[in-house]
């Protein structure tokens, strides 16, 4: 499956993409709406040729017609926000139901709690974990497997970022500074005794948030932060994504990929980097693999291979569900992280104040990278250790997972069997070993 594009940086538009103006988004909406009659006809045709009472449904011709109709419908529809689909988990050998509740909400994010309805008390307390999901085009459900892996042994919370086209203009703007503020507010709400995990893109704002909290001697700093495949210093082992941002510069992105949300979306006239353009960039990165995947879907449907067809549907239901990003957040992130390299250079600011990771002393640090990561290259996340120079050596860990790419850093069988146990052990160690360093007198 083509999974290398997930996560990482806010998605960059592919080489050669056309300049985008406000009417382009309107034209996209009109084109999508114009296909509704065709989709209705193909749905009806598919039902007709799948009806067992139709003698053609048992022939290769009939199966090919039905398969072609499904492929057409799936490649032209708009995919909505996926469901979590996490109804229960196993805690200490007992199947335990889960209630997903929003416990904090602002215009651009909700904080979700995966509340496990335990039927008996735990023998010992389990780590409380805030997972900061990427705000890079896909919904937080991209981390369904990440959440599922931690649920049996952790109390899990996750950021659920909003689609910018659904946020009215009256709610104001949202940029990288606001992102950092949101993370700090969530940690305050959760009240301490927390561990934070940043998956890919959020690594930079999470380091910034923890650095700001440490500089202010905030009592609600997390016990530990784990950064997974994050673009902390993209000058190290730069990838194609990193090079594109560096070569183009922020002016090019402002001129070519920013547009306004059209009517009738609630966020009408908000400046955004639109989801459909992000999707174009995603697919262009591995166009041949996506074409092969849909050809294989057609063949599997004709053969009647339901298992393979379901795997395709599950993957692309998530992959093709994208959301708009606010223009100010997208441009500030590209400029700060990928063009100016402000954090590793010691030049990043938050609300006008310098972000200084060397102030971090009470928070244990773990970084995780994938050996074959083609989005955040090897060494980019590890660079955090040099920045957080005041953390004692016994409270820091770096781990490289062999044989996985970017997606494998936070999902898949090796993530569950090899990465999650290491993170869990690290959290336990961070909670039990209290730092003895005090702040230096100012």
């Amino acid at each position: 499956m083509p999974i290398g594009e997930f996560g990482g940086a806010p998605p960059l538009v592919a080489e050669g993409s056309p300049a985008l103006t406000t009417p382009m988004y309107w034209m996209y909406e009109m084109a999508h709406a114009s296909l509704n009659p065709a989709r209705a006809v193909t749905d009806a045709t598919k039902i007709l040729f799948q009806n067992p009472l139709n003698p053609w449904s048992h022939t290769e011709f009939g199966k090919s017609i039905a398969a072609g109709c499904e492929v057409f419908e799936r490649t032209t529809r708009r995919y909505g926000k996926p469901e979590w689909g996490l109804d229960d988990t196993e805690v200490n050998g007992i199947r335990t139901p889960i209630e997903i509740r929003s416990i904090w909400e602002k215009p651009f994010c909700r904080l979700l709690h995966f509340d496990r309805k335990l039927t008996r008390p735990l023998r010992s307390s389990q780590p409380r974990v805030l997972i900061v999901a990427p705000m890079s085009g896909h919904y937080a459900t991209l981390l369904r497997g990440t959440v599922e892996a931690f649920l049996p042994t952790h109390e899990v919370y996750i950021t659920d970022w909003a689609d910018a086209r659904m946020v009215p203009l009256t709610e104001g703007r949202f940029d990288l500074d606001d992102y950092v503020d949101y993370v700090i507010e969530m940690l305050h709400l959760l009240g301490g005794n927390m561990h934070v995990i940043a998956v890919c893109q959020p690594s930079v704002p999470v380091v910034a948030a923890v650095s700001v909290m440490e500089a202010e001697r905030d009592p609600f700093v997390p016990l530990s932060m784990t950064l997974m495949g994050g673009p902390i210093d993209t000058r190290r082992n730069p990838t194609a994504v990193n090079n594109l941002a560096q070569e183009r510069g922020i002016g090019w992105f402002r001129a070519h990929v920013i547009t306004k949300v059209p009517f009738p979306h609630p966020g009408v006239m908000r400046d955004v980097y639109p989801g459909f353009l992000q999707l174009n960039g995603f697919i262009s990165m591995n166009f041949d693999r996506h074409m092969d995947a849909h050809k294989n879907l057609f063949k599997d449907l004709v053969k009647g291979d339901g298992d393979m067809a379901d795997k395709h549907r599950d993957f692309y239901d998530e992959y093709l569900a994208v959301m708009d990003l606010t223009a100010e957040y997208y441009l500030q992130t590209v400029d700060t992280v990928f063009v100016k390299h402000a954090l590793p250079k010691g030049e990043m600011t938050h609300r006008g104040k310098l972000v200084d990771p060397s102030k971090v002393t009470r928070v244990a640090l773990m970084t995780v990278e994938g050996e074959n990561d083609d989005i955040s290259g090897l060494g980019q996340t590890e660079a955090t250790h040099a920045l957080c120079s005041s953390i004692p050596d016994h409270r820091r860990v770096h781990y490289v997972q062999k044989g996985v790419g970017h997606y494998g850093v936070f999902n898949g069988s090796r993530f569950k069997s090899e990465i999650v146990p290491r993170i869990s052990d690290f959290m336990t160690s961070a909670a039990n070993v209290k730092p003895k360093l005090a702040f230096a007198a100012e």
Side-chain angles (χ1 to χ4, degrees):
M1 278 296 180
I3 53 182
E5 304 94 316
F6 272 137
L12 305 177
V13 69
E15 292 277 1
S17 294
L20 192 65
T21 61
T22 299
M24 180 67 76
Y25 207 150
W26 287 73
M27 292 171 64
Y28 168 80
E29 292 291 335
M30 292 172 60
H32 186 269
S34 70
L35 287 172
N36 285 338
R39 279 193 292 272
V41 171
T42 56
D43 278 346
T45 304
K46 175 186 170 184
I47 293 172
L48 175 64
F49 279 91
Q50 285 184 334
N51 190 326
L53 298 180
N54 181 354
W56 287 102
S57 67
H58 305 288
T59 66
E60 182 148 348
F61 173 77
K63 292 176 182 178
S64 297
I65 293 293
C69 289
E70 176 166 342
V71 172
F72 174 81
E73 190 277 331
R74 291 189 62 82
T75 54
T76 58
R77 77 161 70 157
R78 168 171 280 159
Y79 288 77
K81 184 177 181 179
E83 296 293 330
W84 281 97
L86 297 176
D87 300 320
D88 55 51
T89 188
E90 187 172 296
V91 181
N92 292 336
I94 300 174
R95 295 308 301 180
T96 305
I98 296 171
E99 180 185 358
I100 304 175
R101 298 187 294 113
S102 174
I103 62 172
W104 176 93
E105 187 167 350
K106 282 208 163 184
F108 292 92
C109 187
R110 296 186 305 162
L111 179 60
L112 301 182
H113 176 210
F114 292 82
D115 189 5
R116 302 171 300 172
K117 301 299 183 180
L118 301 171
T119 57
R120 63 179 65 176
L122 295 171
R123 291 189 290 269
S124 59
S125 61
Q126 295 183 337
R128 302 170 68 224
V129 180
L130 169 60
I131 299 176
V132 184
M135 191 180 188
S136 56
H138 285 101
Y139 293 94
T141 51
L142 172 66
L143 303 188
R144 184 183 295 102
T146 314
V147 172
E148 186 177 25
F150 279 106
L151 275 174
T153 52
H154 300 75
E155 192 74 27
V156 180
Y157 303 80
I158 194 169
T159 57
D160 184 28
W161 301 106
D163 184 344
R165 74 168 173 255
M166 303 304 293
V167 182
L169 198 58
T170 54
E171 296 290 356
R173 47 186 277 126
F174 181 87
D175 61 15
L176 189 56
D177 286 339
D178 294 311
Y179 195 125
V180 174
D181 289 339
Y182 274 31
V183 173
I184 294 173
E185 285 189 37
M186 289 181 221
L187 289 171
H188 284 180
L189 173 77
L190 295 170
N193 191 31
M194 289 295 301
H195 302 268
V196 62
I197 297 177
V199 181
C200 316
Q201 168 269 327
S203 295
V204 171
V206 164
V207 170
V210 171
S211 299
V212 168
M213 294 176 76
E214 286 277 43
E216 297 176 353
R217 304 184 182 184
D218 194 316
F220 296 112
V221 291
L223 297 170
S224 73
M225 61 175 169
T226 300
L227 312 179
M228 308 176 67
I232 297 295
D233 188 351
T234 59
R235 297 171 300 177
R236 294 193 179 191
N237 194 19
T239 63
V241 173
N242 307 147
N243 290 333
L244 178 61
Q246 191 68 40
E247 292 167 5
R248 293 295 191 184
I250 193 64
W252 187 90
F253 289 98
R254 182 179 290 107
H256 287 75
V257 304
I258 303 302
T259 184
K260 292 185 182 296
V261 176
F263 180 83
H265 300 296
V268 59
M269 298 308 292
R270 178 180 293 281
D271 287 329
V272 296
Y273 178 27
F276 75 86
L277 189 61
Q278 298 173 57
L279 189 58
N280 174 68
F282 291 147
I283 292 176
S284 296
M285 292 174 66
N286 290 287
F287 182 76
D288 290 341
R289 288 202 292 176
H290 290 292
M291 288 295 294
D292 289 342
H294 282 79
K295 290 177 183 176
N296 290 334
L297 171 63
F298 177 86
K299 294 176 182 177
D300 292 335
L301 290 170
V302 173
K303 289 188 300 183
D305 190 339
D307 289 341
M308 291 302 296
D310 284 343
K311 288 181 180 178
H312 177 101
R313 294 186 187 106
D314 291 344
F315 178 84
Y316 278 98
D317 284 351
E318 190 78 53
Y319 186 83
L320 298 176
V322 291
M323 61 184 192
D324 294 357
L325 306 180
T326 64
E328 57 272 17
Y329 161 77
Y330 175 76
L331 293 174
Q332 189 180 355
T333 299
V334 171
D335 192 40
T336 300
V337 179
F338 300 96
V339 176
K340 293 181 177 177
H341 314 291
L343 182 62
K345 287 183 176 179
E347 299 171 355
M348 184 176 178
T349 60
H350 171 258
R351 304 296 180 197
K353 295 183 179 179
L354 198 66
V355 173
D356 185 1
S358 69
K359 296 287 187 181
V360 180
T361 59
R362 294 173 290 170
V363 183
L365 171 65
M366 181 175 185
T367 53
V368 181
E369 296 182 327
E371 180 184 28
N372 303 323
D373 195 332
D374 60 350
I375 302 295
S376 296
L378 273 177
Q380 293 186 10
T381 314
E382 184 185 14
T384 317
H385 292 276
L387 303 180
C388 298
S389 55
S390 299
I391 300 176
D393 289 344
H394 68 279
R395 289 175 58 77
R396 59 171 78 237
V397 175
H398 177 64
Y399 176 69
V400 176
Q401 178 60 54
K402 302 294 185 183
V404 303
H406 188 72
Y407 187 69
V409 172
F410 58 90
N411 217 329
S413 59
R414 291 191 178 181
F415 168 74
K416 292 180 180 179
S417 64
E418 300 183 45
I419 296 177
V420 170
R422 286 178 167 85
I423 295 176
S424 185
D425 289 346
F426 165 74
M427 289 179 180
T428 301
S429 174
N432 292 335
V433 180
K434 303 299 181 183
K436 298 180 180 179
L437 296 181
F439 282 95
E442 297 181 356

